[in-house]
Amino acid sequence: MAFVIIGLVVFYIVAGFFIAPPIVRSQVEKRLSTELGRAVQVRKVSLNPLTLAGAVEGFAILDRDGKQAFVAWRRAFANFDAMSFFAGEWRFDELTLDGAEANVAVDREGKLSFADILARISSSPASSAPAKEPKPLRVRRLNVSGAKVEYREDTASQPFVTVIGPMTFSLRDFSTGGKNDAPGEFSAKTESGESIGWRGTLAVAPLRSSGEVSLGDIVLKKYMPYVERFTPVAITDGTFTMKSRYEVVFAGDKPTLKVEDGSVRLTALKVGAPGATEPAIALDLLEITALAADTAARTASVGRVALTGGRVAVTRDVQGIDLLRLLQPKAPAANGVSSGMGAPVPPASGAGQGFDAKLGELVVAGLAVAISDTTPPRAARHELEQVSLTLKNVSLANLGTPSPLEFAGKIVGGGSVRVSGNVAPQPLKGDLAVVLEEAPLAGISPYVESLADLRITNGTISSKARVVIDTPAAGGMPVITAQADVSVDEFATLA
Protein backbone atom coordinates (compact mmCIF):
# COMPACT_ATOMS: atom_id res chain seq x y z
CA MET A 1 0.00 0.00 0.00
CA ALA A 2 2.83 2.34 0.84
CA PHE A 3 4.36 1.73 -2.61
CA VAL A 4 1.05 2.61 -4.26
CA ILE A 5 0.82 5.89 -2.36
CA ILE A 6 4.44 6.71 -3.14
CA GLY A 7 3.84 5.88 -6.79
CA LEU A 8 0.77 8.13 -6.97
CA VAL A 9 2.67 10.98 -5.37
CA VAL A 10 5.58 10.56 -7.79
CA PHE A 11 3.19 10.41 -10.74
CA TYR A 12 1.37 13.54 -9.50
CA ILE A 13 4.64 15.44 -9.23
CA VAL A 14 6.00 14.25 -12.60
CA ALA A 15 2.68 14.91 -14.35
CA GLY A 16 2.38 18.34 -12.77
CA PHE A 17 5.89 19.46 -13.61
CA PHE A 18 6.47 17.81 -16.98
CA ILE A 19 3.35 16.25 -18.58
CA ALA A 20 0.55 18.76 -17.90
CA PRO A 21 2.29 22.02 -19.03
CA PRO A 22 2.64 21.16 -22.76
CA ILE A 23 -0.91 19.75 -22.79
CA VAL A 24 -2.31 22.89 -21.18
CA ARG A 25 -0.31 25.06 -23.58
CA SER A 26 -1.66 23.20 -26.61
CA GLN A 27 -5.26 23.25 -25.39
CA VAL A 28 -5.16 26.97 -24.54
CA GLU A 29 -3.94 27.82 -28.04
CA LYS A 30 -6.45 25.53 -29.73
CA ARG A 31 -9.56 26.34 -27.70
CA LEU A 32 -9.03 30.10 -27.44
CA SER A 33 -8.27 30.38 -31.16
CA THR A 34 -11.57 28.60 -31.90
CA GLU A 35 -13.59 30.65 -29.41
CA LEU A 36 -12.17 34.05 -30.41
CA GLY A 37 -11.63 33.52 -34.12
CA ARG A 38 -8.11 34.87 -33.72
CA ALA A 39 -4.73 33.20 -33.64
CA VAL A 40 -3.57 32.64 -30.05
CA GLN A 41 0.05 31.94 -29.14
CA VAL A 42 1.51 30.63 -25.87
CA ARG A 43 5.27 30.25 -25.60
CA LYS A 44 5.45 28.40 -22.28
CA VAL A 45 3.25 27.07 -19.45
CA SER A 46 4.79 26.22 -16.08
CA LEU A 47 3.01 24.39 -13.24
CA ASN A 48 4.13 23.63 -9.69
CA PRO A 49 1.88 20.88 -8.26
CA LEU A 50 3.45 21.22 -4.82
CA THR A 51 2.59 24.89 -4.31
CA LEU A 52 -0.41 24.98 -6.68
CA ALA A 53 1.25 27.76 -8.66
CA GLY A 54 1.34 28.27 -12.38
CA ALA A 55 2.63 30.68 -15.00
CA VAL A 56 1.82 31.44 -18.63
CA GLU A 57 4.60 33.12 -20.60
CA GLY A 58 4.67 34.66 -24.05
CA PHE A 59 0.89 34.82 -24.40
CA ALA A 60 -0.63 36.71 -27.34
CA ILE A 61 -3.98 37.13 -29.10
CA LEU A 62 -3.16 38.39 -32.58
CA ASP A 63 -4.99 40.99 -34.65
CA ARG A 64 -7.22 39.77 -37.47
CA ASP A 65 -4.40 40.20 -39.97
CA GLY A 66 -2.01 38.29 -37.70
CA LYS A 67 0.70 40.94 -38.01
CA GLN A 68 0.76 42.17 -34.42
CA ALA A 69 -0.66 41.29 -31.03
CA PHE A 70 -4.02 42.62 -29.94
CA VAL A 71 -3.42 41.52 -26.33
CA ALA A 72 -0.19 40.04 -25.02
CA TRP A 73 1.91 39.62 -21.91
CA ARG A 74 5.38 38.41 -20.99
CA ARG A 75 4.36 36.47 -17.90
CA ALA A 76 1.23 35.82 -15.87
CA PHE A 77 1.64 34.05 -12.53
CA ALA A 78 -0.93 32.68 -10.07
CA ASN A 79 -0.43 31.03 -6.70
CA PHE A 80 -3.59 29.23 -5.53
CA ASP A 81 -4.29 28.66 -1.84
CA ALA A 82 -5.15 24.98 -1.25
CA MET A 83 -7.20 25.94 1.80
CA SER A 84 -9.78 27.36 -0.61
CA PHE A 85 -11.27 23.87 -0.95
CA PHE A 86 -12.24 23.99 2.72
CA ALA A 87 -13.22 27.68 2.88
CA GLY A 88 -16.16 29.66 1.63
CA GLU A 89 -14.09 31.56 -0.95
CA TRP A 90 -11.50 30.99 -3.64
CA ARG A 91 -8.16 32.33 -2.46
CA PHE A 92 -5.03 33.32 -4.33
CA ASP A 93 -1.92 34.24 -2.43
CA GLU A 94 -0.59 36.07 -5.49
CA LEU A 95 -1.65 37.14 -8.97
CA THR A 96 1.03 38.81 -11.07
CA LEU A 97 0.94 40.15 -14.62
CA ASP A 98 4.14 41.44 -16.19
CA GLY A 99 4.69 43.13 -19.53
CA ALA A 100 1.07 43.22 -20.66
CA GLU A 101 0.29 45.06 -23.91
CA ALA A 102 -2.89 45.95 -25.78
CA ASN A 103 -3.40 47.58 -29.16
CA VAL A 104 -6.83 49.14 -29.58
CA ALA A 105 -8.09 51.00 -32.63
CA VAL A 106 -11.35 52.68 -33.63
CA ASP A 107 -12.12 53.35 -37.28
CA ARG A 108 -14.02 56.34 -38.69
CA GLU A 109 -17.34 54.53 -38.35
CA GLY A 110 -16.67 54.05 -34.64
CA LYS A 111 -16.02 50.32 -34.94
CA LEU A 112 -13.59 48.79 -32.46
CA SER A 113 -10.70 46.68 -33.71
CA PHE A 114 -11.90 43.80 -31.51
CA ALA A 115 -15.58 44.08 -32.45
CA ASP A 116 -15.40 40.58 -33.96
CA ILE A 117 -14.38 39.13 -30.58
CA LEU A 118 -17.23 40.91 -28.80
CA ALA A 119 -19.68 39.61 -31.42
CA ARG A 120 -18.50 36.03 -30.88
CA ILE A 121 -18.81 36.32 -27.12
CA SER A 122 -22.29 37.86 -27.27
CA SER A 123 -23.50 35.19 -29.71
CA SER A 124 -22.38 32.28 -27.55
CA PRO A 125 -25.41 30.22 -26.39
CA ALA A 126 -26.33 30.79 -22.76
CA SER A 127 -26.44 27.83 -20.40
CA SER A 128 -29.94 26.54 -19.60
CA ALA A 129 -28.86 25.46 -16.13
CA PRO A 130 -29.81 27.84 -13.31
CA ALA A 131 -26.90 30.05 -12.34
CA LYS A 132 -25.32 29.32 -9.01
CA GLU A 133 -24.05 31.98 -6.69
CA PRO A 134 -20.28 31.98 -7.28
CA LYS A 135 -17.94 31.66 -4.37
CA PRO A 136 -16.26 34.97 -3.46
CA LEU A 137 -12.74 35.55 -4.70
CA ARG A 138 -9.94 36.77 -2.46
CA VAL A 139 -6.53 37.91 -3.74
CA ARG A 140 -3.92 38.68 -1.13
CA ARG A 141 -1.46 40.28 -3.56
CA LEU A 142 -2.31 41.54 -7.05
CA ASN A 143 0.49 43.13 -9.07
CA VAL A 144 0.57 44.47 -12.62
CA SER A 145 3.85 45.89 -13.92
CA GLY A 146 5.24 47.12 -17.22
CA ALA A 147 1.81 47.27 -18.87
CA LYS A 148 1.17 49.34 -22.00
CA VAL A 149 -1.88 50.29 -24.08
CA GLU A 150 -1.62 51.81 -27.55
CA TYR A 151 -4.83 53.53 -28.65
CA ARG A 152 -5.60 54.88 -32.10
CA GLU A 153 -8.76 56.52 -33.38
CA ASP A 154 -9.24 57.66 -36.96
CA THR A 155 -11.21 60.87 -36.44
CA ALA A 156 -12.61 62.99 -39.25
CA SER A 157 -9.77 65.54 -39.42
CA GLN A 158 -6.70 63.80 -38.02
CA PRO A 159 -5.96 60.50 -36.26
CA PHE A 160 -5.60 60.47 -32.49
CA VAL A 161 -2.83 58.23 -31.21
CA THR A 162 -1.56 57.77 -27.68
CA VAL A 163 0.50 55.23 -25.80
CA ILE A 164 -0.25 54.78 -22.10
CA GLY A 165 2.57 53.04 -20.36
CA PRO A 166 4.44 51.81 -18.57
CA MET A 167 1.60 51.19 -16.11
CA THR A 168 1.80 49.63 -12.66
CA PHE A 169 -1.08 48.53 -10.47
CA SER A 170 -1.19 46.82 -7.10
CA LEU A 171 -3.93 45.71 -4.74
CA ARG A 172 -3.70 44.02 -1.36
CA ASP A 173 -6.20 41.67 0.31
CA PHE A 174 -8.93 42.27 -2.26
CA SER A 175 -12.18 40.33 -1.93
CA THR A 176 -15.33 40.25 -4.06
CA GLY A 177 -17.44 39.13 -1.12
CA GLY A 178 -16.02 40.85 1.92
CA LYS A 179 -16.60 44.36 3.23
CA ASN A 180 -12.93 45.16 3.63
CA ASP A 181 -11.37 48.06 1.72
CA ALA A 182 -8.38 46.74 -0.20
CA PRO A 183 -5.50 49.22 -0.44
CA GLY A 184 -3.98 49.74 -3.88
CA GLU A 185 -1.95 51.96 -6.20
CA PHE A 186 -1.89 52.74 -9.91
CA SER A 187 0.53 54.80 -11.97
CA ALA A 188 1.04 55.34 -15.68
CA LYS A 189 2.93 57.53 -18.14
CA THR A 190 2.20 58.37 -21.75
CA GLU A 191 4.47 58.97 -24.72
CA SER A 192 3.94 62.72 -24.17
CA GLY A 193 5.23 62.64 -20.59
CA GLU A 194 1.73 62.81 -19.10
CA SER A 195 1.11 60.99 -15.83
CA ILE A 196 -1.88 59.28 -14.27
CA GLY A 197 -1.92 58.25 -10.63
CA TRP A 198 -4.23 56.64 -8.07
CA ARG A 199 -3.73 55.62 -4.47
CA GLY A 200 -6.59 54.47 -2.30
CA THR A 201 -8.88 51.59 -1.48
CA LEU A 202 -11.31 49.44 -3.46
CA ALA A 203 -14.19 47.25 -2.29
CA VAL A 204 -17.00 45.34 -3.97
CA ALA A 205 -19.79 44.88 -1.41
CA PRO A 206 -21.01 47.50 -2.11
CA LEU A 207 -18.81 48.70 -4.96
CA ARG A 208 -16.91 51.66 -3.57
CA SER A 209 -13.55 53.38 -3.67
CA SER A 210 -11.76 56.20 -1.91
CA GLY A 211 -8.35 57.78 -2.15
CA GLU A 212 -6.48 60.27 -4.28
CA VAL A 213 -6.35 60.61 -8.06
CA SER A 214 -4.00 62.78 -10.10
CA LEU A 215 -3.30 63.79 -13.68
CA GLY A 216 0.01 65.43 -14.49
CA ASP A 217 1.19 67.54 -17.44
CA ILE A 218 -1.68 66.58 -19.75
CA VAL A 219 -0.85 68.03 -23.19
CA LEU A 220 -4.11 69.72 -24.20
CA LYS A 221 -3.46 70.19 -27.93
CA LYS A 222 -2.98 66.45 -28.23
CA TYR A 223 -6.72 66.01 -27.65
CA MET A 224 -7.85 68.45 -30.35
CA PRO A 225 -9.39 65.62 -32.44
CA TYR A 226 -11.97 65.30 -29.65
CA VAL A 227 -12.28 69.00 -28.78
CA GLU A 228 -13.09 69.97 -32.36
CA ARG A 229 -16.15 67.72 -32.29
CA PHE A 230 -17.83 70.01 -29.78
CA THR A 231 -16.41 73.49 -30.35
CA PRO A 232 -14.72 75.40 -33.20
CA VAL A 233 -11.97 76.58 -30.85
CA ALA A 234 -8.41 75.42 -31.50
CA ILE A 235 -6.07 74.64 -28.60
CA THR A 236 -2.49 75.29 -29.69
CA ASP A 237 -0.66 75.02 -26.38
CA GLY A 238 -1.13 74.35 -22.68
CA THR A 239 -0.78 71.68 -20.04
CA PHE A 240 -3.29 70.50 -17.45
CA THR A 241 -2.59 69.11 -13.99
CA MET A 242 -5.06 68.05 -11.30
CA LYS A 243 -5.28 66.08 -8.11
CA SER A 244 -8.03 65.41 -5.63
CA ARG A 245 -9.18 63.20 -2.81
CA TYR A 246 -12.44 61.38 -3.45
CA GLU A 247 -14.95 58.86 -2.15
CA VAL A 248 -17.45 57.14 -4.45
CA VAL A 249 -20.08 54.55 -3.52
CA PHE A 250 -22.26 52.63 -5.99
CA ALA A 251 -25.17 51.55 -3.81
CA GLY A 252 -28.87 51.81 -4.54
CA ASP A 253 -30.21 53.80 -7.47
CA LYS A 254 -27.97 56.84 -7.09
CA PRO A 255 -24.17 56.62 -6.75
CA THR A 256 -22.66 59.17 -4.39
CA LEU A 257 -19.42 61.06 -4.93
CA LYS A 258 -17.47 63.28 -2.60
CA VAL A 259 -14.48 65.32 -3.71
CA GLU A 260 -12.17 67.15 -1.31
CA ASP A 261 -8.93 69.14 -1.49
CA GLY A 262 -9.06 69.24 -5.27
CA SER A 263 -6.76 71.42 -7.32
CA VAL A 264 -6.40 72.23 -11.01
CA ARG A 265 -3.50 73.94 -12.76
CA LEU A 266 -3.47 75.19 -16.35
CA THR A 267 -0.14 76.40 -17.71
CA ALA A 268 0.62 78.30 -20.94
CA LEU A 269 -2.88 77.82 -22.34
CA LYS A 270 -3.45 79.19 -25.84
CA VAL A 271 -6.76 78.95 -27.69
CA GLY A 272 -8.10 80.69 -30.75
CA ALA A 273 -9.68 80.29 -34.15
CA PRO A 274 -8.35 77.41 -36.29
CA GLY A 275 -5.47 78.65 -38.44
CA ALA A 276 -5.17 81.98 -36.64
CA THR A 277 -1.65 83.36 -36.24
CA GLU A 278 -2.36 84.72 -32.75
CA PRO A 279 -4.43 83.13 -29.98
CA ALA A 280 -7.61 84.81 -28.81
CA ILE A 281 -6.90 83.72 -25.24
CA ALA A 282 -3.42 83.17 -23.85
CA LEU A 283 -3.18 82.44 -20.13
CA ASP A 284 0.16 82.08 -18.40
CA LEU A 285 -1.11 80.35 -15.27
CA LEU A 286 -4.58 79.45 -14.00
CA GLU A 287 -4.85 77.77 -10.60
CA ILE A 288 -8.01 76.46 -8.95
CA THR A 289 -7.63 75.29 -5.36
CA ALA A 290 -9.76 73.92 -2.50
CA LEU A 291 -12.19 72.17 -4.87
CA ALA A 292 -14.93 70.20 -3.13
CA ALA A 293 -18.21 68.58 -4.13
CA ASP A 294 -20.84 66.30 -2.61
CA THR A 295 -23.50 64.81 -4.88
CA ALA A 296 -25.64 63.64 -1.95
CA ALA A 297 -25.70 67.12 -0.39
CA ARG A 298 -25.88 68.76 -3.87
CA THR A 299 -23.08 71.16 -3.08
CA ALA A 300 -19.85 72.25 -4.73
CA SER A 301 -17.27 74.82 -3.74
CA VAL A 302 -14.07 76.38 -5.00
CA GLY A 303 -11.80 78.06 -2.51
CA ARG A 304 -9.79 80.16 -4.95
CA VAL A 305 -9.44 80.77 -8.66
CA ALA A 306 -6.23 82.64 -9.52
CA LEU A 307 -5.22 83.81 -13.00
CA THR A 308 -1.71 85.18 -13.32
CA GLY A 309 -0.52 86.71 -16.56
CA GLY A 310 -2.02 86.39 -20.00
CA ARG A 311 -3.76 88.20 -22.82
CA VAL A 312 -7.29 88.24 -24.22
CA ALA A 313 -7.99 89.65 -27.70
CA VAL A 314 -11.58 90.40 -28.74
CA THR A 315 -12.97 91.77 -32.01
CA ARG A 316 -16.42 93.29 -32.45
CA ASP A 317 -17.81 93.22 -35.97
CA VAL A 318 -21.19 93.44 -37.63
CA GLN A 319 -21.91 89.84 -36.62
CA GLY A 320 -21.17 90.42 -32.94
CA ILE A 321 -18.26 89.38 -30.72
CA ASP A 322 -15.82 86.94 -32.32
CA LEU A 323 -14.79 85.37 -29.02
CA LEU A 324 -18.39 84.52 -28.14
CA ARG A 325 -18.87 82.88 -31.52
CA LEU A 326 -15.64 80.95 -31.07
CA LEU A 327 -16.64 79.57 -27.67
CA GLN A 328 -20.15 78.64 -28.76
CA PRO A 329 -20.60 74.84 -28.84
CA LYS A 330 -21.32 73.06 -32.08
CA ALA A 331 -24.80 71.72 -32.69
CA PRO A 332 -25.17 67.91 -32.56
CA ALA A 333 -25.16 66.29 -35.97
CA ALA A 334 -27.56 63.57 -37.03
CA ASN A 335 -24.93 60.89 -36.37
CA GLY A 336 -24.43 62.06 -32.80
CA VAL A 337 -21.16 63.87 -33.51
CA SER A 338 -21.15 67.63 -33.08
CA SER A 339 -20.90 69.56 -36.33
CA GLY A 340 -21.76 73.11 -37.31
CA MET A 341 -22.80 76.04 -35.20
CA GLY A 342 -25.88 76.09 -33.05
CA ALA A 343 -27.32 77.51 -29.88
CA PRO A 344 -26.59 75.74 -26.60
CA VAL A 345 -29.23 73.26 -25.46
CA PRO A 346 -31.24 74.81 -22.62
CA PRO A 347 -31.17 73.00 -19.27
CA ALA A 348 -34.01 70.69 -18.42
CA SER A 349 -36.85 72.06 -16.35
CA GLY A 350 -35.90 72.17 -12.70
CA ALA A 351 -32.20 71.62 -13.39
CA GLY A 352 -30.01 73.10 -10.70
CA GLN A 353 -32.80 73.50 -8.16
CA GLY A 354 -31.58 72.80 -4.65
CA PHE A 355 -27.97 72.87 -5.76
CA ASP A 356 -25.47 75.29 -4.26
CA ALA A 357 -22.06 76.21 -5.63
CA LYS A 358 -19.74 78.62 -3.86
CA LEU A 359 -16.67 80.56 -4.92
CA GLY A 360 -14.44 81.86 -2.17
CA GLU A 361 -12.23 84.16 -4.21
CA LEU A 362 -11.46 85.04 -7.83
CA VAL A 363 -8.13 86.78 -8.35
CA VAL A 364 -6.76 88.05 -11.67
CA ALA A 365 -3.35 89.70 -11.96
CA GLY A 366 -1.15 90.83 -14.83
CA LEU A 367 -3.75 90.36 -17.57
CA ALA A 368 -3.82 92.30 -20.85
CA VAL A 369 -7.04 92.90 -22.79
CA ALA A 370 -7.24 94.14 -26.39
CA ILE A 371 -10.60 95.05 -27.94
CA SER A 372 -10.91 95.86 -31.64
CA ASP A 373 -14.16 97.35 -32.94
CA THR A 374 -14.65 97.31 -36.68
CA THR A 375 -18.25 98.55 -36.68
CA PRO A 376 -17.47 102.31 -36.86
CA PRO A 377 -16.37 103.75 -40.24
CA ARG A 378 -12.87 103.93 -38.80
CA ALA A 379 -11.95 100.93 -36.65
CA ALA A 380 -11.41 101.56 -32.95
CA ARG A 381 -8.98 99.78 -30.66
CA HIS A 382 -8.91 99.77 -26.87
CA GLU A 383 -6.21 98.11 -24.77
CA LEU A 384 -5.75 97.57 -21.08
CA GLU A 385 -2.66 96.17 -19.40
CA GLN A 386 -1.78 95.13 -15.86
CA VAL A 387 -5.43 94.28 -15.32
CA SER A 388 -6.27 93.04 -11.83
CA LEU A 389 -9.56 91.76 -10.48
CA THR A 390 -10.73 90.44 -7.12
CA LEU A 391 -14.20 89.04 -6.45
CA LYS A 392 -15.09 87.28 -3.20
CA ASN A 393 -17.83 85.19 -1.65
CA VAL A 394 -20.16 84.23 -4.48
CA SER A 395 -22.90 81.67 -3.82
CA LEU A 396 -25.28 80.21 -6.38
CA ALA A 397 -27.93 79.81 -3.70
CA ASN A 398 -27.58 83.46 -2.63
CA LEU A 399 -27.02 85.42 -5.82
CA GLY A 400 -28.75 88.42 -4.29
CA THR A 401 -26.07 88.78 -1.61
CA PRO A 402 -23.52 91.48 -2.57
CA SER A 403 -19.93 90.37 -3.15
CA PRO A 404 -16.91 92.69 -2.79
CA LEU A 405 -15.30 93.64 -6.11
CA GLU A 406 -12.00 95.31 -6.96
CA PHE A 407 -10.87 96.06 -10.52
CA ALA A 408 -7.94 98.05 -11.89
CA GLY A 409 -6.13 98.43 -15.18
CA LYS A 410 -3.81 100.72 -17.08
CA ILE A 411 -4.91 102.12 -20.42
CA VAL A 412 -2.35 101.60 -23.17
CA GLY A 413 -1.38 105.09 -24.33
CA GLY A 414 -1.90 106.65 -20.92
CA GLY A 415 -4.41 106.71 -18.10
CA SER A 416 -5.94 104.16 -15.77
CA VAL A 417 -9.26 102.91 -14.44
CA ARG A 418 -10.24 101.58 -11.01
CA VAL A 419 -13.53 100.15 -9.80
CA SER A 420 -14.35 99.08 -6.24
CA GLY A 421 -17.49 98.25 -4.33
CA ASN A 422 -20.07 95.50 -4.05
CA VAL A 423 -22.14 93.70 -6.69
CA ALA A 424 -24.89 91.07 -6.70
CA PRO A 425 -25.76 89.29 -9.98
CA GLN A 426 -29.37 88.28 -9.40
CA PRO A 427 -31.22 90.51 -9.08
CA LEU A 428 -28.54 92.81 -10.45
CA LYS A 429 -27.44 95.28 -7.81
CA GLY A 430 -24.28 97.23 -7.17
CA ASP A 431 -22.71 100.15 -5.40
CA LEU A 432 -19.44 101.02 -7.13
CA ALA A 433 -16.81 103.72 -6.94
CA VAL A 434 -15.29 104.36 -10.37
CA VAL A 435 -12.08 106.34 -10.85
CA LEU A 436 -10.89 107.23 -14.35
CA GLU A 437 -7.56 109.03 -14.57
CA GLU A 438 -6.30 110.80 -17.72
CA ALA A 439 -7.89 108.42 -20.17
CA PRO A 440 -7.10 109.39 -23.81
CA LEU A 441 -10.12 110.75 -25.65
CA ALA A 442 -8.71 109.71 -29.02
CA GLY A 443 -10.00 106.21 -28.34
CA ILE A 444 -13.62 107.33 -28.68
CA SER A 445 -13.01 109.43 -31.81
CA PRO A 446 -14.13 106.69 -34.27
CA TYR A 447 -17.56 106.70 -32.62
CA VAL A 448 -17.78 110.48 -32.69
CA GLU A 449 -16.81 110.48 -36.36
CA SER A 450 -19.79 108.26 -37.17
CA LEU A 451 -22.09 110.96 -35.79
CA ALA A 452 -20.32 114.16 -36.85
CA ASP A 453 -17.66 115.39 -39.22
CA LEU A 454 -15.20 115.68 -36.36
CA ARG A 455 -12.07 113.88 -35.23
CA ILE A 456 -10.66 114.08 -31.70
CA THR A 457 -6.91 114.44 -31.95
CA ASN A 458 -5.95 115.12 -28.36
CA GLY A 459 -7.22 115.32 -24.83
CA THR A 460 -7.73 113.28 -21.69
CA ILE A 461 -10.67 112.71 -19.38
CA SER A 462 -10.62 112.10 -15.64
CA SER A 463 -13.57 111.26 -13.44
CA LYS A 464 -14.56 110.15 -9.96
CA ALA A 465 -18.00 108.64 -9.86
CA ARG A 466 -20.34 106.63 -7.69
CA VAL A 467 -22.53 104.24 -9.66
CA VAL A 468 -25.54 102.59 -8.04
CA ILE A 469 -27.34 99.74 -9.80
CA ASP A 470 -30.70 98.58 -8.48
CA THR A 471 -33.27 96.17 -9.89
CA PRO A 472 -36.85 96.78 -8.73
CA ALA A 473 -38.38 94.08 -6.55
CA ALA A 474 -41.16 93.68 -9.10
CA GLY A 475 -38.57 92.94 -11.79
CA GLY A 476 -37.79 94.76 -15.00
CA MET A 477 -34.72 96.60 -16.21
CA PRO A 478 -32.09 97.66 -13.65
CA VAL A 479 -32.06 101.33 -12.68
CA ILE A 480 -28.60 102.92 -12.89
CA THR A 481 -27.82 106.20 -11.15
CA ALA A 482 -24.49 107.96 -11.11
CA GLN A 483 -22.87 110.96 -9.48
CA ALA A 484 -19.59 112.08 -10.97
CA ASP A 485 -16.97 114.79 -11.11
CA VAL A 486 -15.50 115.02 -14.62
CA SER A 487 -12.59 117.00 -16.02
CA VAL A 488 -11.26 117.23 -19.59
CA ASP A 489 -7.76 118.48 -20.35
CA GLU A 490 -5.93 119.52 -23.55
CA PHE A 491 -8.92 118.76 -25.74
CA ALA A 492 -8.34 119.21 -29.47
CA THR A 493 -10.23 118.30 -32.64
CA LEU A 494 -9.77 118.27 -36.38
CA ALA A 495 -12.79 119.11 -38.53
Side-chain angles (χ1 to χ4, degrees):
M1 186 67 179
F3 290 106
V4 174
I5 296 175
I6 293 174
L8 291 174
V9 171
V10 171
F11 176 77
Y12 170 76
I13 294 175
V14 172
F17 275 109
F18 303 106
I19 300 176
I23 297 175
V24 172
R25 173 182 172 277
S26 175
Q27 289 299 308
V28 167
E29 288 185 335
K30 181 180 178 180
R31 291 178 180 272
L32 274 182
S33 296
T34 302
E35 290 291 330
L36 302 178
R38 300 278 192 93
V40 175
Q41 299 175 348
V42 179
R43 183 173 58 83
K44 181 181 179 181
V45 172
S46 302
L47 297 175
N48 187 331
L50 301 179
T51 61
L52 298 183
V56 177
E57 301 179 34
F59 176 88
I61 302 174
L62 302 185
D63 274 338
R64 280 175 290 186
D65 58 11
K67 294 181 179 180
Q68 67 173 359
F70 159 55
V71 173
W73 65 68
R74 281 194 297 269
R75 185 174 187 267
F77 173 80
N79 188 3
F80 185 70
D81 186 349
M83 296 303 295
S84 297
F85 296 112
F86 310 102
E89 59 185 8
W90 297 118
R91 298 174 182 172
F92 285 87
D93 289 328
E94 182 179 355
L95 291 177
T96 299
L97 183 63
D98 178 57
E101 295 184 7
N103 293 280
V104 180
V106 180
D107 62 22
R108 291 198 174 189
E109 285 71 41
K111 188 177 180 181
L112 289 164
S113 57
F114 55 95
D116 58 317
I117 296 179
L118 296 178
R120 280 178 169 267
I121 295 175
S122 61
S123 62
S124 299
S127 174
S128 59
K132 295 182 180 180
E133 186 71 22
K135 291 175 66 173
L137 172 67
R138 179 180 296 276
V139 181
R140 293 191 174 93
R141 296 188 305 278
L142 172 64
N143 294 296
V144 177
S145 61
K148 183 179 72 172
V149 174
E150 182 172 340
Y151 179 82
R152 177 186 179 91
E153 183 172 348
D154 290 326
T155 58
S157 60
Q158 56 180 317
F160 172 78
V161 180
T162 188
V163 178
I164 305 174
M167 293 185 285
T168 62
F169 176 67
S170 66
L171 209 56
R172 296 291 180 268
D173 199 25
F174 173 73
S175 172
T176 61
K179 296 183 178 181
N180 64 304
D181 295 310
E185 293 184 26
F186 172 84
S187 66
K189 288 280 189 180
T190 73
E191 84 291 350
S192 304
E194 303 159 311
S195 64
I196 307 168
W198 171 78
R199 175 180 293 179
T201 61
L202 181 65
V204 175
L207 181 60
R208 65 189 182 276
S209 178
S210 64
E212 182 176 295
V213 293
S214 64
L215 299 173
D217 298 323
I218 304 300
V219 181
L220 296 177
K221 66 179 181 180
K222 171 181 170 181
Y223 302 93
M224 269 304 300
Y226 297 104
V227 174
E228 65 185 8
R229 296 181 182 180
F230 306 101
T231 174
V233 71
I235 302 175
T236 58
D237 200 0
T239 58
F240 171 84
T241 298
M242 67 78 64
K243 66 177 181 179
S244 176
R245 292 195 295 115
Y246 77 96
E247 179 181 350
V248 61
V249 179
F250 295 90
D253 297 334
K254 294 183 178 180
T256 60
L257 171 66
K258 290 183 180 179
V259 175
E260 296 178 336
D261 297 333
S263 64
V264 173
R265 182 183 178 96
L266 280 170
T267 306
L269 176 66
K270 293 182 180 179
V271 299
T277 56
E278 294 293 334
I281 300 175
L283 306 180
D284 295 346
L285 177 62
L286 176 64
E287 293 179 295
I288 304 174
T289 54
L291 274 165
D294 188 334
T295 59
R298 295 179 60 80
T299 60
S301 62
V302 177
R304 192 170 191 261
V305 178
L307 171 60
T308 305
R311 187 175 187 274
V312 178
V314 180
T315 297
R316 177 175 178 254
D317 54 29
V318 293
Q319 295 179 333
I321 306 298
D322 67 336
L323 189 56
L324 295 181
R325 295 196 301 269
L326 187 64
L327 297 178
Q328 188 178 25
K330 291 181 178 179
N335 60 0
V337 179
S338 297
S339 177
M341 296 300 295
V345 178
S349 176
Q353 293 182 0
F355 179 79
D356 186 24
K358 295 180 179 179
L359 171 63
E361 184 179 30
L362 169 65
V363 179
V364 177
L367 184 67
V369 179
I371 303 174
S372 298
D373 191 350
T374 62
T375 58
R378 186 167 64 91
R381 185 172 178 84
H382 314 281
E383 293 188 63
L384 287 176
E385 60 184 6
Q386 298 182 30
V387 173
S388 63
L389 171 68
T390 302
L391 180 66
K392 296 182 179 181
N393 304 327
V394 179
S395 172
L396 185 63
N398 299 286
L399 292 176
T401 302
S403 301
L405 170 72
E406 298 283 342
F407 173 86
K410 289 188 176 182
I411 303 171
V412 174
S416 64
V417 58
R418 300 193 306 275
V419 180
S420 61
N422 297 283
V423 293
Q426 187 178 346
L428 183 59
K429 294 183 179 181
D431 189 349
L432 303 170
V434 181
V435 178
L436 188 65
E437 294 184 342
E438 298 181 346
L441 288 170
I444 65 171
S445 183
Y447 305 101
V448 175
E449 295 166 24
S450 65
L451 303 174
D453 187 14
L454 185 71
R455 175 176 291 193
I456 301 174
T457 59
N458 196 25
T460 61
I461 182 172
S462 299
S463 176
K464 292 183 179 180
R466 181 189 178 193
V467 179
V468 177
I469 307 169
D470 190 20
T471 300
M477 295 295 294
V479 177
I480 302 176
T481 59
Q483 295 177 334
D485 294 327
V486 180
S487 64
V488 176
D489 297 312
E490 300 181 2
F491 181 73
T493 64
L494 178 65

